Amino acid sequence: MADAKVIPFGGEEPRSKRKGKRPGRARTGRVSPLAPVPPQRDVDQAAADAPEQPAAADTGDRVREPEAAQTGGWDRKLAHGLSFLRRRITGEYEVDDFGYDEELTDQVLMSALRPFYEKYFRVEVKGIENIPEKGAALVVANHSGTLPVDGLMLQVAVHDHHPAGRHIRMLAADLVFMLPGVNEISRKLGHTLACAEDAQQLLERGEVVGVMPEGFKGIGKPFSERYKLQRFGRGGFVSTALRAGAPIVPCSIVGAEEIYPMLGNSRTAARLLGIPYFPLTPSFPWLGPLGLVPLPTKWTIQFGEPIPTDGYPAEAADDPMLMFNLTDQVRETIQHTLYKLLVQRRSVFF
C-alpha cells in the first residue's frame, strides 16, 4: 500500500514550499506595495483636524482687492473734490494779473473740454515737441470753423500732450470779452486781449502764447474758401516775438473748417446784432439750438519747426521789410502744411 500524502488543514503550506515562493509583483521591482487603507473614522478625524486651506482665502482676497482699490480711489477723489470746493468757497486760490486761474483750468475747464477733444473730434497731435520745454514761445495758427472751437482744442492739445505740461495763453478778440459769461470763462482759461502789450508781457514772463492772425477774416470765411489762409494782418505778432526774442512755432489745424459749413452770411442780421458776421449753415438757424451742434469731424493739429528770432538785433522789430518777410514765411509754412495734411487725410469724419 502506497504511503498516503498528508494534506494540512487551515490552508498553511509546508515551509519547504514557502521558502522558494515570491510574490508576482515583487519580480518587476517597479511598483511598491499599497499602503493599508485607514478606517473611515480616522479619515474623518484627519479631515476635521486639518487646518483651513489658504487658497480659498487668497481667492477671496484677490476678489476683494480691486474693490478695496476702487473704494480707496473714490475716497481720494471725494477728499480731493471737497478740498477743491473748500478752497473755492474760502477764496484760497490764485489768479494772475490777467485773471488766469490755473487750478480751475486744470481741474474743471480742461475736464469739460476733454470729451470733445478725445471722443468727438478725435484730435491727433503732431510735432508737439517743437514747443520748447521752457521759456517763451509764440504759436501762430490758422483760424476757421465759424465759432472759435479751434482755439479751445489747441489749448487742450498743448495742455495734455506737451512733455513738460506747458499751458498756452491764447490771444482773443475784444468781442470775446464783451459777451457775458464768455468773458469770465475766457479769463479763467488764461485768454487775454489780442494786443501787443499783453502779448509782450506774457512772453517776457516765459509763457507760451497762441495767436491766430487771420482773426474774423479766417473764422468767418465761406465754406468755398476753406483751408485758404487769409491775410495775416500787418505782422504785429512778428514784431512782438522779435522784441521778446521768442521763437515762432507755426501750427496747422485740419478739421475745424467743416464743423459749421458756412454757406452764407446774413449781413443785415450781423449789423442788427453788432457782430462781424451772421453765419448761415445747413443746420443754423433753420434747426434752432440744434443747429449749434458741430459736425463730428476728424481733427489734426501739427506744430512745425520753430523759427528763431533771438539772433536779430533789437532794432529789427521796427524793420517793416523784415516783419513782412517773417510773416510771409510763417504763413507759407502753415499753408503748405495744411495742403500736405489734406492730401494725407482719408476722410472728413474718419
Side-chain angles (χ1 to χ4, degrees):
M1 182 176 179
D3 292 340
K5 185 178 180 180
V6 179
I7 300 175
F9 292 95
E12 185 178 355
E13 296 182 9
R15 181 171 299 178
S16 60
K17 294 185 177 181
R18 290 201 309 265
K19 184 181 296 184
K21 186 176 182 179
R22 296 180 182 178
R25 291 181 180 272
R27 281 197 297 267
T28 63
R30 293 191 300 267
V31 181
S32 60
L34 298 175
V37 178
Q40 182 65 30
R41 58 185 180 86
D42 294 342
V43 175
D44 297 339
Q45 183 65 30
D49 296 339
E52 296 182 5
Q53 295 295 328
D58 292 343
T59 304
D61 291 342
R62 285 195 296 268
V63 173
R64 287 190 293 269
E65 279 177 3
E67 298 177 359
Q70 184 176 5
T71 303
W74 282 110
D75 290 344
R76 287 192 296 270
K77 290 180 179 179
L78 180 60
H80 182 73
L82 292 176
S83 177
F84 173 77
L85 288 176
R86 179 186 60 80
R87 290 192 299 272
R88 307 311 298 186
I89 293 173
T90 59
E92 298 177 3
Y93 58 91
E94 296 180 357
V95 296
D96 67 4
D97 300 340
F98 299 95
Y100 174 47
D101 191 334
E102 183 175 354
E103 183 185 42
L104 183 67
T105 298
D106 292 342
Q107 301 298 326
V108 178
L109 300 179
M110 287 292 111
S111 299
L113 293 172
R114 197 166 287 119
F116 294 95
Y117 177 89
E118 295 179 348
K119 305 298 183 182
Y120 198 79
F121 296 125
R122 294 147 292 147
V123 181
E124 179 183 1
V125 179
K126 300 179 180 181
I128 189 68
E129 67 278 359
N130 288 320
I131 298 178
E133 294 190 0
K134 59 181 181 179
L138 183 65
V139 177
V140 182
N142 58 305
H143 204 14
S144 61
T146 306
L147 292 181
V149 181
D150 51 357
L152 298 175
M153 295 301 104
L154 175 60
Q155 188 169 3
V156 179
V158 176
H159 180 275
D160 287 2
H161 293 279
H162 195 273
R166 303 207 66 179
H167 299 258
I168 185 169
R169 307 292 296 272
M170 299 299 299
L171 302 180
D174 52 358
L175 178 62
V176 173
F177 303 103
M178 295 170 58
L179 300 175
V182 178
N183 173 30
E184 289 78 10
I185 295 177
S186 297
R187 289 291 185 185
K188 296 295 184 181
L189 278 167
H191 302 172
T192 188
L193 190 63
C195 64
E197 292 78 12
D198 288 359
Q200 185 77 27
Q201 187 174 351
L202 288 172
L203 289 174
E204 289 176 353
R205 293 182 181 181
E207 299 277 2
V208 177
V209 179
V211 61
M212 295 175 166
E214 293 178 280
F216 291 121
K217 299 187 301 295
I219 196 174
K221 64 178 179 287
F223 187 66
S224 60
E225 298 181 12
R226 58 192 179 277
Y227 298 113
K228 296 179 181 178
L229 294 183
Q230 306 298 302
R231 192 172 65 91
F232 270 20
R234 296 186 296 272
F237 69 92
V238 172
S239 176
T240 303
L242 286 170
R243 295 181 190 279
I248 300 174
V249 181
C251 177
S252 304
I253 303 175
V254 167
E257 292 275 17
E258 296 90 357
I259 61 173
Y260 298 111
M262 186 171 169
L263 305 179
N265 177 20
S266 177
R267 302 183 185 277
T268 303
R271 283 195 300 268
L272 292 175
L273 296 174
I275 55 179
Y277 56 90
F278 187 88
L280 302 176
T281 73
S283 58
F284 183 85
W286 330 114
L287 299 182
L290 276 178
L292 296 176
V293 178
L295 295 178
T297 58
K298 176 72 171 62
W299 287 37
T300 301
I301 299 178
Q302 179 164 337
F303 298 91
E305 295 184 2
I307 301 173
T309 62
D310 53 356
Y312 294 96
E315 62 272 11
D318 299 322
D319 186 349
M321 186 57 65
L322 176 61
M323 287 195 297
F324 175 81
N325 291 335
L326 286 177
T327 301
D328 190 61
Q329 179 184 354
V330 174
R331 186 180 181 279
E332 289 300 320
T333 301
I334 296 173
Q335 184 70 81
H336 177 74
T337 306
L338 287 174
Y339 288 149
K340 184 174 66 174
L341 293 175
L342 289 172
V343 171
Q344 297 172 354
R345 184 170 66 167
R346 296 178 301 171
S347 169
V348 174
F349 299 100
F350 303 103

